[in-house]
Amino acid sequence: MDFDDKNSIHIIGGGLAGCEAAWQLAERNICVILHEMRPIKSTDAHQTEKLAELVCSNSFRSDDADYNAVGLLHYEMRKLNSLIMYAADKNKIPAGSALAVDREGFSETVHQSISNHPKIKIITEEVKTLKDKNWNKIIISTGPLTSSALSNSIIDITGEDSLAFFDAIAPIVTKESINFNIAWYQSRYDKGDGNDYINCPLDEEQYKHFYDLLIKSEKVNFKEWETNTPYFEGCLPIEIMAQRGFQTLRYGPLKPVGLTNRHVPDKKPWAVVQLRQDNAAGTLYNLVGFQTKLKYGEQVSLLKSIPGLENADIVRFGGIHRNTFINSPKLLDERLNIKSMPHIKFAGQITGCEGYVESSAIGLLSGIISASEINGNKILFPPTTTALGSLLDHITKNSLPDTYQPMNINFGLFPPLGSQEKLNKKNKPLKGRERKKAFTERAIRDAEDWSNLIV
């Protein structure tokens, strides 16, 4: 196999986006050299040597393509033979209407698929600079944990400082240490199988005690380079949410709605802590929404104050790491190229999309677009009415460079519905689920037409 610099495309970073880009290229008969620095150099968040390791949640969020934007993105990526979606589906574990995976099985599936592909060569090394590289095509997909050396090189070639925010990791406990005399199985509003989450109820007094502990708990000191770095609103540490008011958590991750305590069905919980399955064996569960920067000893006290978790065996503590991304709408064109250096593309979370699926989606698009360029085919961009198209447009066109911030896929990124599309059969404006359904129906129709043209 000819893996020389002229005939190969170099991808820096073996996370979800990098692996998806590599897969899309290799499946289109293009040689890929994938550069991954682990295990030679690890990060503050990674624990294994595998490609596509999930360092935060094990959830790909909603899998509902009819009423949810991320579920729609799942659908569109499956239509394009996404490796990440294949691995997620293969390693799916119960999570109601969400798509959650066994994290080790997921990473192993991606790792083996990439390692065994004849068109992909993996080089284990830290790429520290781009200045001395004579590579014809490059995709940078180093994600939220880009090394400081490469970050500095990116700053040098773009002329722009990277922005940063914190991503957070929730604690994990063993299932056998949960007290099911207090806790019970139930999905909110009985979605999915109806029993995909474990619930721990708190009455008003217990919630007050929990809240006081949380507010008073000691946090890990920030490193100098973390000072004044803003948090991402979609992944706030639980202690930051609590500082916004006594009731904030009850309207966030601890909301009690849609749940009935099966031990005391006539008594509505004041708040509920939910735990989601974290591995295929069902032996580990993570605390939903409990991203935190509390010191480990404080986490033990806080978690064991929760009814049902008084004997919790904590196998992974929560933590926070910095996430770096570029000012994509200023730096990148619609092909994801640096405008001043079109042989270099960016993909994944480093572009300013947020979430596993969104990161993988941009990796997928970078691979498809690069393949079209290399093979001399006309580039067919996804329609803006699709989840893929709206996400690409958000990154490259539709955001203001001065206020650019990471974003999950949502219907607010889609172009407005047409005059007839936004009316129901009674000619009244669509609302709620009907409106979401109108977005997804339009997207699925347009995505079908577009995906049939992609080679």
Side-chain angles (χ1 to χ4, degrees), residues 4 6 76 95 131 137 148 236 239 281 333-334 362 389 443:
D4 61 66
K6 182 178 180 180
E76 294 177 10
K131 286 185 175 181
K137 292 282 186 180
S148 57
L236 285 174
E239 60 270 19
D333 63 21
E334 62 182 350
I362 299 303

Side-chain angles (χ1 to χ4, degrees), residues 74-216:
H74 291 178
Y75 172 87
E76 294 177 10
M77 291 174 66
R78 288 184 179 114
K79 290 288 294 182
L80 295 164
N81 300 314
S82 161
L83 172 63
I84 296 305
M85 292 309 303
Y86 165 77
D89 290 336
K90 182 178 179 180
N91 295 281
K92 182 178 180 179
I93 57 178
S97 59
L99 174 58
V101 304
D102 176 277
R103 63 177 72 237
E104 292 184 7
F106 169 83
S107 179
E108 179 67 20
T109 298
V110 176
H111 189 92
Q112 291 302 321
S113 297
I114 295 295
S115 299
N116 295 332
H117 202 294
K119 288 286 184 178
I120 301 175
K121 178 181 179 180
I122 301 173
I123 297 180
T124 304
E125 66 172 355
E126 180 187 1
V127 177
K128 296 182 178 180
T129 181
L130 300 174
K131 286 185 175 181
D132 58 353
K133 307 301 182 187
N134 295 316
W135 300 339
N136 283 348
K137 292 282 186 180
I138 302 170
I139 298 176
I140 301 173
S141 57
T142 45
L145 301 173
T146 301
S147 69
S148 57
L150 185 57
S151 293
N152 289 332
S153 182
I154 291 170
I155 290 170
D156 286 342
I157 65 173
T158 61
E160 295 290 329
D161 289 342
S162 293
L163 303 176
F165 64 90
F166 290 107
D167 210 354
I169 299 170
I172 293 176
V173 303
T174 62
K175 175 186 170 183
E176 64 181 6
S177 69
I178 300 171
N179 181 2
F180 284 95
N181 291 323
I182 295 175
W184 77 94
Y185 286 101
Q186 186 185 8
S187 302
R188 186 166 280 114
Y189 298 111
D190 296 315
K191 290 184 176 181
D193 292 335
N195 295 305
D196 292 343
Y197 290 79
I198 295 174
N199 302 276
C200 296
L202 294 85
D203 60 26
E204 186 172 1
E205 189 61 33
Q206 290 166 334
Y207 176 80
K208 184 178 185 302
H209 176 64
F210 169 86
Y211 178 81
D212 288 342
L213 275 178
L214 180 57
I215 289 295
K216 296 174 183 177

